[in-house]
């Protein structure tokens, strides 16, 4: 089990007025371009809040994911200030929100709802740096509409953040706090980002077993591969999900037998009875966790 002390958190609040927080500020949404210190700041807030309240950290970055493996959004729930007690994951199917906007949107909203269902009184939401350009801004706009944060904490860098924030300036129920990017923040190169994803996948799929399942017994959704072409199934990443569509475990298809509708796969051991649906993703992974292609 992870402890909060093992997390890389910002050393200070970076000018964020933590003391201004009253009981009505329960959901804080942190935005900013890539490499502005969002995640490190969110972990600072998590540490600070969880000393007083049951708190959830919601990770909405399916690329540089922190709670679960890449392609998932996750919630960590912390009740006793030190130890992380529960984790929930949603599968988006891709390492970027582009192309899976709906899955990212519903995942973020459902994770927030789940956190409140579990009795937290503070929710810190970490966003992805997918905020530049029309599509990304509109995605963020709708995410904010649905998540209904009491506060948006924004790292002041770039035109996109400012353009997005202008839409919420007149809202009485949303406080907007802008912050400067700390000088110590370092950039992650594209290669470093890819290596991070590979390492996270590798760790996730380290102790996998072979399994097989008749897919007709389950609900199927996501980017379901074409039944006419079994070769399109090989190596596709998917999630076994429970009846609420939270991830039971991720898996990689090894083979699909059309005639018997049997899917052979690699995954960690899991309880088959928990599985209600199979959600298919848009990327192909080899068993070491390396991305080897895209589907659709
Ligand atoms: N306040 C800070 N003081 C010192 N180092 C920091 C601070 N904030 C962030 N960093 C460092 O800068 C790097 C980038 O920070 P972080 O990952 O939090 O940014 P991000 O905006 O979440 O990036 P991404 O766009 O990948 O989500 C990390 O290595 C982190 O340790
Ligand atoms: Mg981040």
């Amino acid at each position: 089990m992870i402890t909060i002390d093992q997390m890389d958190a910002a050393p200070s609040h970076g000018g964020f007025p933590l003391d201004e927080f009253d009981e009505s500020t329960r959901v804080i949404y942190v935005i900013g371009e890539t490499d502005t210190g969002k995640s490190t700041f969110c972990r600072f807030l998590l540490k600070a809040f969880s000393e007083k309240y049951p708190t959830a950290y919601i990770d909405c970055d399916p690329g540089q994911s922190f709670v679960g493996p890449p392609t998932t959004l996750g919630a960590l729930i912390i009740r006793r200030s030190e130890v992380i007690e529960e984790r929930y994951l949603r599968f988006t199917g891709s390492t970027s929100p582009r192309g899976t906007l709906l899955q990212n949107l519903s995942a973020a909203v459902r994770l927030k709802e789940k956190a409140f269902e579990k009795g937290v009184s503070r929710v810190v939401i970490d966003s992805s740096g997918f905020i530049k350009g029309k599509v990304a801004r509109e995605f963020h706009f709708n995410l904010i509409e649905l998540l209904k944060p009491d506060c948006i904490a924004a790292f002041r860098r770039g035109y996109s953040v400012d353009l997005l924030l202008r839409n919420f300036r007149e809202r009485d129920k949303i406080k907007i706090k802008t912050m400067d990017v700390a000088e110590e923040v370092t950039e992650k190169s594209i290669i470093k980002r890819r290596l991070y994803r590979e390492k996270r996948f590798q760790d996730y799929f380290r102790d996998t077993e072979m399994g097989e399942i008749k897919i007709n017994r389950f609900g199927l959704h996501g980017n379901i591969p074409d039944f006419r072409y079994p070769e399109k199934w090989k190596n596709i990443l998917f999630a076994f999900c429970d009846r609420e569509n939270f991830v039971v475990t991720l898996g990689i298809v090894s083979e699909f037998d059309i005639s018997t509708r049997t899917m052979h796969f690699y995954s960690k051991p899991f309880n088959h009875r928990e599985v209600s649906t199979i959600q298919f993703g848009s990327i192909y992974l080899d068993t070491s966790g390396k991305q080897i292609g895209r589907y659709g």
Side-chain angles (χ1 to χ4, degrees):
M1 202 175 264
I2 331 168
T3 65
I4 303 191
D5 285 339
Q6 288 164 333
M7 293 180 188
D8 173 26
S12 74
H13 55 75
F16 189 77
L18 210 50
D19 298 339
E20 269 181 35
F21 274 79
D22 53 22
E23 292 305 312
S24 68
T25 313
R26 304 200 316 155
V27 179
I28 299 150
Y29 185 57
V30 178
I31 61 168
E33 288 189 358
T34 46
D35 295 319
T36 46
K38 300 179 294 298
S39 301
T40 316
F41 176 68
C42 283
R43 293 192 284 264
F44 168 83
L45 288 182
L46 179 66
K47 280 188 178 182
F49 287 140
S50 63
E51 281 173 15
K52 288 192 190 160
Y53 318 99
T55 304
Y57 171 103
I58 305 206
D59 175 12
C60 293
D61 190 342
Q64 302 297 292
S65 59
F66 165 70
V67 174
T71 67
T72 63
L73 305 192
L76 289 178
I77 295 179
I78 297 164
R79 264 175 245 286
R80 291 164 293 126
S81 72
E82 285 302 301
V83 183
I84 288 163
E85 295 207 335
E86 284 167 78
R87 186 176 86 144
Y88 296 90
L89 296 180
R90 302 288 284 204
F91 183 53
T92 68
S94 174
T95 56
S96 164
R98 194 179 292 282
T100 49
L101 299 180
L102 285 174
Q103 290 88 335
N104 277 268
L105 206 56
S106 75
V109 173
R110 291 291 291 113
L111 288 166
K112 184 199 117 178
E113 283 173 6
K114 176 56 88 181
F116 279 122
E117 227 175 80
K118 290 286 161 185
V120 303
S121 49
R122 289 289 183 280
V123 176
V124 178
I125 307 176
D126 186 8
S127 64
S128 71
F130 179 68
I131 198 167
K132 277 192 192 169
K134 261 197 302 196
V135 173
R137 268 200 314 275
E138 189 60 13
F139 167 69
H140 260 91
F141 177 87
N142 284 284
L143 206 48
I144 294 169
E145 284 287 271
L146 290 173
L147 290 171
K148 299 191 193 118
D150 302 301
C151 173
I152 302 174
F155 281 100
R156 204 184 288 127
R157 181 205 279 164
Y159 179 59
S160 296
V161 169
D162 188 44
L163 212 54
L164 180 65
L165 285 180
R166 277 190 231 160
N167 294 292
F168 298 99
R169 290 239 161 88
E170 305 287 314
R171 304 263 181 121
D172 296 335
K173 290 194 175 151
I174 304 181
K175 303 180 190 95
I176 295 177
K177 304 286 176 196
T178 48
M179 297 170 294
D180 290 324
V181 177
E183 276 176 19
E184 299 86 347
V185 174
T186 51
E187 279 190 23
K188 298 178 279 288
S189 65
I190 291 174
I191 293 172
K192 201 168 169 190
R193 285 172 181 274
R194 181 171 51 76
L195 291 175
Y196 176 82
R197 290 195 295 271
E198 275 178 21
K199 168 88 172 55
R200 295 297 306 253
F201 274 136
Q202 250 165 35
D203 290 346
Y204 189 85
F205 285 109
R206 183 156 290 133
D207 298 313
T208 52
E209 295 177 348
M210 284 288 290
E212 60 174 65
I213 214 159
K214 297 254 190 212
I215 61 164
N216 284 355
R217 289 173 40 215
F218 302 96
L220 307 178
H221 74 113
N223 199 13
I224 307 169
D226 193 323
F227 279 75
R228 291 168 300 175
Y229 305 107
E231 68 277 9
K232 298 219 185 281
W233 289 66
K234 191 172 164 45
N235 291 100
I236 203 91
L237 179 68
F238 69 92
F240 285 125
C241 301
D242 67 14
R243 64 188 67 178
E244 290 184 90
N245 205 43
F246 289 104
V247 172
V248 174
T249 192
L250 298 190
I252 300 171
V253 176
S254 63
E255 200 188 325
F256 179 59
D257 184 336
I258 293 190
S259 57
T260 60
R261 296 281 199 264
T262 305
M263 188 171 86
H264 301 262
F265 58 89
Y266 302 97
S267 79
K268 286 197 238 204
F270 65 101
N271 181 353
H272 284 229
R273 274 181 300 211
E274 281 183 53
V275 177
S276 168
T277 57
I278 307 174
Q279 182 180 348
F280 290 92
S282 311
I283 62 171
Y284 291 106
L285 290 186
D286 68 15
T287 46
S288 75
K290 210 179 181 113
Q291 186 172 336
I292 50 175
R294 286 193 68 80
Y295 176 61

